[in-house]
Amino acid sequence: MTATATPVATLGDVSVVFGRHGKQVVALDRISMQLRGDEVVSLVGPSGCGKSTSLRVIAGLAEPTGGTVQVNVDRKTRALGGLSMMFQSPSLLDWRTVLGNVMLPLEQRRIGRAEARERAEHLLERVGLADFRHRRPYELSGGMQQRTAVARALVTEPEVLLLDEPFGALDAITRDQMCVLLEGLVEERSMSVLLVTHSMSEAIMLSDRILVMSGRPGRVLEELSVPLGRPREIGNRLDDSARELEARMLTLLALR
Amino acid sequence: MSETTVVELVPDEVSQSPRPLGSRVAAALLHLLIRTAITVAVIVVIVLLWWAIVEVFNLPATELPPPGSVLSDLHDKWSIIWAQATPTIIESVAGYAISAALGVPLGYVISRPGPIARSLNTGAVALQIFPKIAVAPLFLVWFGFGYAPRILFIVLMSFFPIALNAAAGFASMPLDLQDLGSILGMGPWARIRHLQGPWALPQIFTGLKIAASFAVIAALVSEFSGGTQGLGVLIVQLEANLDISLMFAAIVVVTVLGFAFYGVVSVLEMIAIPWHVSRRRK
């Protein structure tokens, strides 16, 4: 997968200040970044540095108080594509089956029932949940719930996938499994991914570029490119080049 | 080159399709049957205690009639009781239905941010605190002796728990689900239908069940305050005539009505919310 030069999302000097009156919290202070077509970018930084806020601004969930936001996805003319997002919690609907949850985004886009079902079942098979499609979310383990959320995010064939610490609530082994699964899924598709994470190994495993951010108010300290080819395996994060990269990130983050 | 790794997950039992409505109704009815059996057992114990008290203290029938005499009145004079029960049932059901139809949407409006929601909330609380029983006789002056003043009284008594619980349910939806609605481009109706509505259902039913237990009592109280028909009117008359045995028979019917009302709403709840936390296996 080679990144194309056209940016799909651009933040230009974006600031976000929370709280109108009295105490104001500066979540983002003139931050700039670009997400190009077909590339995977990670935002890594300490808690409260504004990584998630940056993601939410691109998603349209947070209003910037200054600067410019450009998202070039076709949301109107095509039924599929556009923007998808995964949250830290699986955010599944207990009143729907696993299959029903994955079909929800397609129903919202007025895709016919038969086609929606076919697409959803295909993706559930890909994430290893075909046999669980008629279960309810609360009958599944945390990892399986997050797989369902992955399928729901990808079922619309998004051009941009936003991941807000998607595996933060999972145990280490499940997290590695999810990482491998996601790497494969991203590799198979033509989409841009912006990942917010605390985990350096996750960032290295998945990204083409890593933006290391400073503490509040968040700024981009350094942009690192990941010198690993694709497809990747979980063992690749022990490669010399990956270890050097992790050491560099540790230094950047520990100094703050 | 690596192969794509998919961790195979095998379900612990054969994957079932979601249970159809028919089997859900059957399950709910079975559940109701078991609960009814327990209720009957409790009633038998209460009746035995009642009988023992009458025997031990040798009470006259004008103070506390023995269960046997109440039971035979219930049988022999059923037509008298049933004639007065019908208007009470009609009032309760009508008042309750209006309460539910108004209370749930009102709860949604109250759960929204903004000054309109806050003033509606204040209005609802004021209406709840206001001593309606004190002005119940005035309702007859304002609206006559028909069904209107009674139904209005029942609505005023039972809409508050419905609205308040619904509001709490709508407002408690997690932020992640709200974000999901925005990401999926849902409008207000789609959000209510797919996210907030189902999310709030357990709380809505809590309110509906509380109100169900109020509705029959409210009907009775409105009949106490005057009128020409209903179990409340009958009870007041029988007490004045010292026909305490038949009065108790009427009270038994009121109690059964209240239980039936609550039971119907509980069954509806079980059919509507198969995913309810209290009904998950393990």
Side-chain angles (χ1 to χ4, degrees):
Chain A
M1 95 152 49
T2 41
T4 57
T6 10
V8 291
T10 312
L11 296 184
D13 282 330
V14 165
S15 301
V16 174
V17 182
F18 290 119
R20 295 270 152 73
H21 317 286
K23 267 190 190 166
Q24 293 199 324
V25 178
V26 182
L28 282 178
D29 183 24
R30 283 164 287 138
I31 198 168
S32 298
M33 66 177 72
Q34 235 178 33
L35 181 65
R36 293 188 280 267
D38 238 10
E39 72 167 345
V40 182
V41 175
S42 286
L43 296 178
V44 178
S47 291
C49 73
K51 328 182 271 290
S52 288
T53 309
S54 311
L55 201 76
R56 293 176 66 82
V57 168
I58 293 174
L61 295 174
E63 281 290 315
T65 36
T68 56
V69 185
Q70 263 193 309
V71 181
N72 303 319
V73 289
D74 189 355
R75 295 177 108 153
K76 290 275 145 69
T77 58
R78 293 196 306 135
L80 293 172
L83 198 138
S84 275
M85 184 164 175
M86 258 182 84
F87 309 94
Q88 185 166 1
S89 72
S91 305
L92 301 173
L93 313 182
D94 285 343
W95 43 96
R96 283 174 170 245
T97 60
V98 166
L99 181 65
N101 270 280
V102 178
M103 284 170 68
L104 180 69
L106 297 175
E107 288 169 20
Q108 285 308 302
R109 297 189 187 209
R110 312 221 181 289
I111 305 247
R113 204 161 171 78
E115 190 194 338
R117 195 185 165 103
E118 196 185 315
R119 284 179 182 276
E121 287 193 331
H122 179 74
L123 253 175
L124 281 172
E125 198 165 320
R126 177 63 186 85
V127 300
L129 286 176
D131 291 337
F132 291 85
R133 62 188 184 280
H134 295 311
R135 295 300 187 90
R136 301 243 183 203
Y138 53 83
E139 296 177 297
L140 308 185
S141 69
M144 288 154 82
Q145 289 180 4
Q146 217 35 307
R147 280 163 193 265
T148 310
V150 169
R152 182 178 61 190
L154 292 178
V155 78
T156 50
E157 295 181 0
E159 295 158 72
V160 178
L161 177 62
L162 304 173
L163 305 169
D164 192 359
E165 296 183 40
F167 313 137
L170 301 176
D171 64 87
I173 295 170
T174 312
R175 203 152 56 208
D176 283 346
Q177 290 174 344
M178 291 298 297
C179 217
V180 172
L181 175 71
L182 194 63
E183 205 274 333
L185 288 164
V186 169
E187 179 68 19
E188 290 162 14
R189 285 165 173 75
S190 160
M191 67 179 173
S192 310
V193 181
L194 188 59
L195 167 73
V196 163
T197 180
H198 282 119
S199 157
M200 284 174 232
S201 61
E202 216 169 271
I204 293 170
M205 177 71 193
L206 290 169
S207 324
D208 299 309
R209 285 191 295 140
I210 299 172
L211 302 179
V212 181
M213 292 178 70
S214 69
R216 179 173 287 159
R219 307 197 129 223
V220 177
L221 287 174
E222 198 160 315
E223 178 186 323
L224 306 166
S225 64
V226 180
L228 295 176
R230 284 190 195 267
R232 293 173 188 173
E233 288 171 61
I234 196 76
N236 284 139
R237 70 171 182 225
L238 301 175
D239 292 0
D240 287 342
S241 54
R243 291 182 158 219
E244 276 170 38
L245 189 62
E246 189 164 346
R248 176 75 189 131
M249 287 163 74
L250 280 171
T251 319
L252 281 168
L253 290 167
L255 280 176
R256 307 288 139 178
Chain B
M1 296 296 279
S2 75
E3 283 177 44
T4 346
T5 336
V6 177
V7 181
E8 256 334 300
L9 297 161
V10 183
D12 42 41
E13 50 188 274
V14 182
S15 176
Q16 340 109 313
S17 295
R19 288 157 72 205
L21 186 67
S23 101
R24 262 153 60 190
V25 172
L29 287 176
L30 179 73
H31 193 94
L32 182 76
L33 203 71
I34 296 167
R35 288 215 329 214
T36 311
I38 296 170
T39 310
V40 168
V42 172
I43 290 169
V44 167
V45 171
I46 291 173
V47 170
L48 281 175
L49 273 174
W50 173 5
W51 174 80
I53 290 171
V54 173
E55 284 297 308
V56 169
F57 297 100
N58 197 19
L59 294 171
T62 45
E63 283 179 26
L64 186 64
S69 113
V70 172
L71 226 62
S72 66
D73 270 2
L74 202 56
H75 181 263
D76 300 342
K77 299 173 184 169
W78 176 248
S79 59
I80 298 175
I81 296 175
W82 183 246
Q84 300 306 318
T86 319
T88 305
I89 293 171
I90 293 172
E91 287 157 28
S92 316
V93 172
Y96 183 76
I98 294 170
S99 281
L102 292 177
V104 175
L106 180 68
Y108 178 76
V109 176
I110 288 176
S111 77
R112 309 289 303 159
I116 296 174
R118 252 170 282 147
S119 29
L120 272 175
N121 193 21
T122 312
V125 174
L127 216 53
Q128 172 70 4
I129 297 169
F130 185 77
K132 293 168 285 291
I133 294 169
V135 295
L138 277 178
F139 281 23
L140 301 177
V141 178
W142 296 340
F143 303 105
F145 284 90
Y147 278 119
R150 289 136 179 237
I151 290 174
L152 180 69
F153 186 78
I154 296 164
V155 170
L156 287 178
M157 291 294 279
S158 60
F159 90 96
F160 188 73
I162 297 177
L164 205 69
N165 276 284
F170 286 124
S172 70
M173 195 173 79
L175 285 173
D176 272 2
L177 283 190
Q178 290 178 29
D179 288 346
L180 179 72
S182 309
I183 289 288
L184 296 182
M186 285 184 174
W189 283 113
R191 276 170 203 258
I192 290 173
R193 188 171 152 219
H194 295 297
L195 306 177
Q196 275 187 299
W199 178 269
L201 262 190
Q203 279 255 270
I204 288 174
F205 267 101
T206 301
L208 287 175
K209 277 152 79 178
I210 296 172
S213 68
F214 279 2
V216 177
I217 297 301
L220 213 65
V221 169
S222 79
E223 288 164 2
F224 285 161
S225 63
T228 53
Q229 51 177 12
L231 284 173
V233 175
L234 181 69
I235 288 172
V236 171
Q237 280 172 2
L238 292 171
E239 198 174 14
N241 298 343
L242 285 181
D243 191 348
I244 305 300
S245 179
L246 188 56
M247 182 188 123
F248 266 74
I251 290 173
V252 166
V253 171
V254 169
T255 313
V256 170
L257 278 182
F259 263 112
F261 220 114
Y262 188 86
V264 167
V265 179
S266 298
V267 170
L268 287 179
E269 179 187 33
M270 280 187 275
I271 294 168
I273 324 180
W275 70 88
H276 199 290
V277 181
S278 66
R279 298 181 58 218
R280 293 180 185 173
R281 271 166 285 168
K282 270 196 289 187

